[in-house]
Amino acid sequence: MSKIVEYTIEDLIEKASVYIPEEENLEKIRRAYQFAESSHKGQFRKSGEPYILHPLNTAIILTTVYADTDTLIAGLLHDTIEDCGVEKEELTELFGPTVANLVYGVSKLGRIHFSTENEYLIEYYKKIIVGMSEDVRVIIVKLADRLHNMRTLYALSTEKQKKIAKETLEILAPIAHHLGIHKIKSELEDLSLRYLKPDVFYDIAERLDKTKLERDNTVNDMMHLVTELLNEHNIPHEIKGRAKSIYSIYNKLNKGKKFSDIYDLLALRILVHTEQECYLALGIIHSKFKPIPKRFKDYIAMPKTNMYQSLHTTVFGVDGYLFEIQIRTYDMDEVAENGIASHWAYKEHKDASQLMQNTTEQKLQFFKSIIELNEDKMSSEEFVNSVKDEVLNNNIYCFTPKGDIIELPKGATPIDFAYKVHTRVGETMVGAIVNNSIVPLDYELQNNDIVKINTSKNSKGPSQEWLNIVKSSQTRNKIRAFFSKNEKEIYIERGKDSLEKELRKRKIAFSDFFTPENEAKLLKEFKVEDLEELYLEIGNGKHAASTIVNMIYKKEEEQPQPKPKKIIPKASDNNSDVVVAGIDKVKVNLANCCNPIPGDEIIGYITKGNGISVHRKNCHNLEYLDNRTVLVSWNSNTKDKYETVILIHTNTNENKLMEMMQKLSIFDIHIDRFFTLHEGKDTIYEVTLYVRDLEYLEKVSKELEKLAYVTKIERLMR
Ligand code: MN
């Protein structure tokens, strides 16, 4: 590990002046240093050095991510409230409200309590979130503070070392990762490993050391060749050999890789000026060095959610060694190293801190949802595991059909995807299409999958079974929340529905039924507080709706019924879809062999015991159904949409599903299922959709037929 250099305020000023040119700002930093020095006077660290060296080093670390003046000052003052009893008001007066708030924020994060108890972790996460949402610079100061503490951890007892290292690895390094501050993240990880598993750490370090010369020579040879190659093509660039962090090697060893596999994999980074040059350089390198298929990643076109952009490829380089090559612009490199803090590095970003805050909001979302949903419903252990899951696991990146990136934990399913897009999407989802194929809901999503979620207004919401399928604990909690919040409401609604249905069935007016006397009678008889509770008991199956109605109307039913007046119902009074000539109350089904929709010529078939089944007039099934047909017509009072199935014939073997879905999306139809019936030069798709009527379906078909590759649209008849 690097030797600790004894910095002075002049070193800080020198480093800051590289990117902070204003003399008055540098003067402010000096002033803050003097204030901190006198506040900490007489205090010493465990290592025996004057305390002021800690805030000074914190500020120096902050210069490596180009922190602005206020943040550097906050770094210098970060322990004055906590350790010196300085009041926030005093800091406001001397250094302004921003600095005061930053220092106050860092203080609120608290001293380390040397505990990784779950309750403590929860508190800690909450504090981090509050800090982040108030001003993300608070967290950046905290990270710098922790990095210096980790660098000087040798001064503490072994027990404390392990506790702090564990907390750093479990909480602070992941936060640095989420904010994209790779520089700080990887040093925190290496230092943590050094104290948590010193034997492993030094073993890896030693092995790296032993092979260093050989590797360095190989890397140098390769760098030389690549530079020549790029120069030939006039691409100005810079190449760096790239050291793998000890922690990343440890991680790979842990995943069962052999040490030789890891160190044999050599790494280069190429920096160029423009995005175009990135791709040019890639092409040139691939033309000379054979790439390994499937190892190429384009994070330029598809940045990671922590803003990381780069091209990655692995090629066979000199002496048969594999080389992992990253190609990116200088700007991208800045973001890769400093993540959210990179906003500082760009002078043209006038309000860097606002930009950082905006980016942070997005990151915060996942912490927030975990906290909000879980606080009461989970044991603290579950909670911590779920946070770790979200933070530490390798994530995968999938896309919406529009190209928005959705970040998910490894092993996520389309349900996780739907909930991540929006809770509402999750709750109304009925199916998923991944890369143009329908997949089961437990399908394991892969990196770069394009996922289209089919939803339906008629969906009854998530099913309990989903809890066993989903991967992300966020999703699981949203589903749980749906049930715990809705179970009762759903039952009440269901109960009310079935009671009303029963009343309609028996032609009893609601107002006749729900008289105050009847109500009192019911509440008493069924021992419930109010009607809602009664509905609940019907909905959850404790009582049948008919039992409730019988309670009031039993006697009357037993009395001889007066002969009802014959009423000929007008078609529009009838709730059914289809009016059957000469019969006013009969069960009617729309046949699912030909799926008639309003506008179709229809004919009824009298089934044995299942009412009348309605077919399209040209349905071939009718041929076999002798003379039990009956005339029927559409009711003018029809439902919103009807199910029907169409076949789309094309003359291409390219998968056009997405494009057609897009085309269909402008119509007021609901697509229920979509699949490839026949694949080949003349692919045929079968689409099940819900549509108002024939006229509208014809309009939709005409639009589809405008697509050059669509040859024919027909209604399916089974
Ligand atoms: Mn500190």
Side-chain angles (χ1 to χ4, degrees):
M1 281 292 117
S2 55
K3 195 171 165 291
I4 305 296
V5 189
E6 275 216 12
Y7 287 120
T8 67
I9 175 64
E10 289 317 311
D11 295 309
L12 174 62
I13 296 297
E14 192 192 315
K15 286 174 194 293
S17 62
V18 172
Y19 64 95
I20 299 178
E22 303 85 6
E23 190 51 48
E24 80 185 270
N25 282 338
L26 297 174
E27 201 41 53
K28 245 173 114 181
I29 294 170
R30 268 184 227 276
R31 225 165 21 92
Y33 175 78
Q34 279 147 16
F35 181 85
E37 193 186 27
S38 71
S39 299
H40 288 295
K41 202 155 214 104
Q43 297 176 353
F44 293 90
R45 306 194 81 215
K46 285 262 159 48
S47 57
E49 44 181 29
Y51 197 90
I52 184 64
L53 288 180
H54 166 61
L56 177 65
N57 274 285
T58 302
I60 283 177
I61 291 168
L62 287 169
T63 62
T64 65
V65 296
Y66 308 106
D68 61 11
T69 307
D70 284 343
T71 309
L72 291 180
I73 293 178
L76 287 170
L77 302 175
H78 81 267
D79 280 331
T80 56
I81 292 184
E82 190 76 19
D83 292 349
C84 315
V86 172
E87 295 287 333
K88 187 182 172 194
E89 288 66 35
E90 193 180 354
L91 294 181
T92 310
E93 222 167 88
L94 290 170
F95 301 102
T98 309
V99 168
N101 281 327
L102 288 175
V103 175
Y104 185 64
V106 178
S107 307
K108 270 200 302 190
L109 285 180
R111 307 286 297 172
I112 312 310
H113 293 111
F114 299 124
S115 161
T116 39
E117 291 300 313
N118 289 329
E119 270 75 20
Y120 164 70
L121 274 181
I122 294 175
E123 277 319 300
Y124 200 90
Y125 278 123
K126 279 191 199 157
K127 283 179 181 169
I128 296 262
I129 289 153
V130 172
M132 272 177 159
S133 47
E134 278 167 4
D135 191 331
V136 68
R137 290 177 292 181
V138 167
I139 303 301
I140 296 175
V141 174
K142 181 71 199 175
L143 289 172
D145 170 38
R146 175 57 61 95
L147 181 53
H148 183 247
N149 283 334
M150 287 300 294
R151 284 179 184 172
T152 52
L153 203 57
Y154 55 80
L156 300 188
S157 70
T158 314
E159 194 195 351
K160 282 184 180 177
Q161 285 174 347
K162 289 214 191 292
K163 276 178 177 164
I164 297 181
K166 185 162 186 265
E167 187 191 68
T168 302
L169 197 58
E170 289 186 345
I171 303 176
L172 288 145
I175 284 169
H177 170 72
H178 262 269
L179 296 177
I181 312 177
H182 181 259
K183 233 184 237 174
I184 291 182
K185 173 211 158 202
S186 79
E187 194 178 342
L188 286 177
E189 285 175 343
D190 276 3
L191 285 165
S192 301
L193 186 66
R194 175 178 161 189
Y195 289 101
L196 284 173
K197 302 202 165 167
D199 45 337
V200 177
F201 178 88
Y202 288 109
D203 181 46
I204 295 173
E206 201 175 300
R207 286 207 250 178
L208 282 175
D209 214 43
K210 263 192 210 149
T211 54
K212 191 173 186 305
L213 190 67
E214 189 194 340
R215 281 179 304 124
D216 280 356
N217 284 338
T218 315
V219 170
N220 279 334
D221 289 351
M222 183 68 178
M223 275 166 68
H224 195 70
L225 284 175
V226 172
T227 289
E228 262 181 5
L229 194 59
L230 294 179
N231 284 343
E232 267 170 42
H233 290 84
N234 296 319
I235 298 179
H237 65 277
E238 212 177 302
I239 304 190
K240 296 175 179 170
R242 196 153 57 79
K244 282 186 182 304
S245 84
I246 293 185
Y247 185 77
S248 73
I249 293 175
Y250 160 75
N251 249 347
K252 285 184 179 160
L253 290 174
N254 251 359
K255 283 178 191 153
K257 292 212 169 130
K258 281 189 294 196
F259 190 80
S260 59
D261 296 341
I262 300 165
Y263 81 72
D264 280 353
L265 197 67
L266 302 173
L268 283 188
R269 180 175 303 153
I270 301 171
L271 300 179
V272 293
H273 289 93
T274 66
E275 193 178 304
Q276 219 184 356
E277 285 168 352
C278 292
Y279 291 102
L280 275 176
L282 178 81
I284 292 162
I285 288 168
H286 279 183
S287 70
K288 170 110 184 198
F289 302 100
K290 202 168 154 25
I292 296 190
K294 290 192 176 168
R295 289 288 283 275
F296 169 65
K297 296 240 166 59
D298 185 350
Y299 293 118
I300 292 181
M302 296 169 286
K304 292 190 189 178
T305 49
N306 66 7
M307 312 193 293
Y308 179 89
Q309 285 191 298
S310 190
L311 297 177
H312 289 188
T313 187
T314 303
V315 302
F316 292 96
V318 291
D319 302 336
Y321 279 95
L322 287 178
F323 276 82
E324 221 175 40
I325 301 182
Q326 300 176 339
I327 307 172
R328 57 208 195 205
T329 66
Y330 287 92
D331 286 357
M332 291 171 195
D333 194 49
E334 180 62 43
V335 173
E337 291 296 317
N338 294 333
I340 196 160
S342 63
H343 288 300
W344 272 321
Y346 300 109
K347 286 293 163 205
E348 68 268 28
H349 290 174
K350 277 217 181 73
D351 198 350
S353 57
Q354 187 53 47
L355 272 171
M356 282 162 64
Q357 207 51 43
N358 294 346
T359 319
T360 309
E361 288 306 312
Q362 190 199 331
K363 314 262 158 232
L364 272 176
Q365 228 20 70
F366 93 103
F367 279 114
K368 275 187 180 161
S369 53
I370 290 173
I371 296 269
E372 281 166 11
L373 285 164
N374 300 341
E375 225 174 335
D376 312 317
K377 297 194 184 71
M378 276 177 138
S379 72
S380 50
E381 189 174 344
E382 262 184 297
F383 172 84
V384 169
N385 286 340
S386 77
V387 174
K388 278 188 199 159
D389 239 35
E390 305 290 339
V391 179
L392 299 176
N393 265 8
N394 282 339
N395 288 336
I396 58 163
Y397 299 88
C398 297
F399 298 91
T400 68
K402 279 187 193 153
D404 294 330
I405 300 174
I406 303 292
E407 186 178 1
L408 295 163
K410 237 192 183 129
T413 64
I415 304 175
D416 293 295
F417 183 94
Y419 272 92
K420 188 87 183 221
V421 170
H422 198 282
T423 305
R424 190 73 206 128
V425 175
E427 286 175 357
T428 56
M429 83 175 287
V430 291
I433 296 173
V434 172
N435 305 329
N436 296 343
S437 312
I438 289 189
V439 295
L441 293 184
D442 63 354
Y443 170 84
E444 183 177 332
L445 292 172
Q446 306 295 317
N447 250 328
N448 300 335
D449 274 349
I450 299 172
V451 186
K452 156 99 178 106
I453 300 296
N454 287 334
T455 59
S456 163
K457 278 184 215 144
N458 303 325
S459 154
K460 299 214 164 41
S463 93
Q464 291 277 2
E465 215 173 294
W466 291 9
L467 291 170
N468 305 322
I469 299 176
V470 300
K471 171 71 185 174
S472 140
S473 42
Q474 277 185 68
T475 315
R476 195 166 296 125
N477 286 309
K478 283 179 179 173
I479 296 173
R480 274 193 201 138
F482 175 89
F483 286 121
S484 60
K485 194 175 67 198
N486 280 313
E487 214 153 20
K488 201 174 155 194
E489 287 165 30
I490 289 168
Y491 283 141
I492 290 174
E493 216 163 278
R494 211 182 275 167
K496 193 167 179 224
D497 257 17
S498 45
L499 183 59
E500 287 177 1
K501 235 180 241 160
E502 182 69 19
L503 290 172
R504 262 199 302 269
K505 199 171 104 192
R506 289 162 65 166
K507 300 208 170 83
I508 300 167
F510 297 169
S511 53
D512 287 347
F513 188 77
F514 292 110
T515 59
E517 304 86 73
N518 284 351
E519 210 179 302
K521 214 164 145 190
L522 285 171
L523 299 189
K524 192 171 162 233
E525 181 65 26
F526 293 97
K527 298 189 182 69
V528 289
E529 283 287 308
D530 51 21
L531 277 182
E532 213 168 69
E533 203 182 331
L534 185 66
Y535 293 145
L536 180 70
E537 294 197 340
I538 303 171
N540 67 18
K542 194 168 167 194
H543 309 296
S546 56
T547 316
I548 310 288
V549 179
N550 285 344
M551 167 72 208
I552 304 289
Y553 276 82
K554 198 165 187 175
K555 280 188 189 132
E556 288 155 46
E557 264 183 358
E558 281 164 5
Q559 290 164 5
Q561 295 279 324
K563 207 174 177 192
K565 270 188 263 171
K566 173 120 179 135
I567 300 167
I568 299 166
K570 277 184 279 173
S572 58
D573 284 342
N574 195 324
N575 274 327
S576 119
D577 304 312
V578 169
V579 183
V580 183
I583 310 173
D584 70 32
K585 268 272 175 249
V586 67
K587 192 174 166 201
V588 171
N589 306 300
L590 301 178
N592 56 14
C593 50
C594 55
N595 296 99
I597 58 177
D600 280 330
E601 289 192 50
I602 48 176
I603 200 145
Y605 169 71
I606 304 162
T607 66
K608 285 180 185 156
N610 198 24
I612 289 172
S613 149
V614 176
H615 294 254
R616 273 148 65 190
K617 215 168 205 164
N618 54 352
C619 178
H620 53 86
N621 289 322
L622 283 173
E623 285 175 34
Y624 310 102
L625 303 176
D626 51 46
N627 51 7
R628 296 206 313 214
T629 54
V630 58
L631 287 180
V632 291
S633 59
W634 290 100
N635 195 335
S636 57
N637 182 17
T638 52
K639 270 193 303 210
D640 189 23
K641 290 192 183 76
Y642 289 80
E643 180 182 342
T644 196
V645 186
I646 59 170
L647 300 179
I648 306 174
H649 297 252
T650 69
N651 58 11
T652 172
N653 56 5
E654 279 178 61
N655 199 327
K656 296 291 189 184
L657 217 44
M658 271 312 171
E659 203 175 314
M660 291 192 293
M661 293 283 276
Q662 202 105 42
K663 191 107 187 161
L664 290 171
S665 66
I666 57 164
F667 289 100
D668 180 26
I669 57 176
H670 161 64
I671 294 170
D672 194 44
R673 290 185 297 278
F674 215 153
F675 72 93
T676 312
L677 189 65
H678 163 80
E679 238 173 322
K681 273 206 302 277
D682 45 358
T683 303
I684 303 172
Y685 301 98
E686 183 182 301
V687 184
T688 303
L689 46 81
Y690 286 80
V691 61
R692 212 177 294 155
D693 56 21
L694 184 62
E695 198 185 324
Y696 201 82
L697 181 64
E698 277 166 357
K699 198 168 129 192
V700 173
S701 303
K702 272 210 186 89
E703 202 52 41
L704 275 176
E705 274 164 350
K706 282 184 191 159
L707 295 168
Y709 50 81
V710 171
T711 52
K712 187 170 78 175
I713 307 242
E714 62 176 338
R715 300 270 297 277
L716 177 70
M717 223 178 253
R718 281 182 267 248

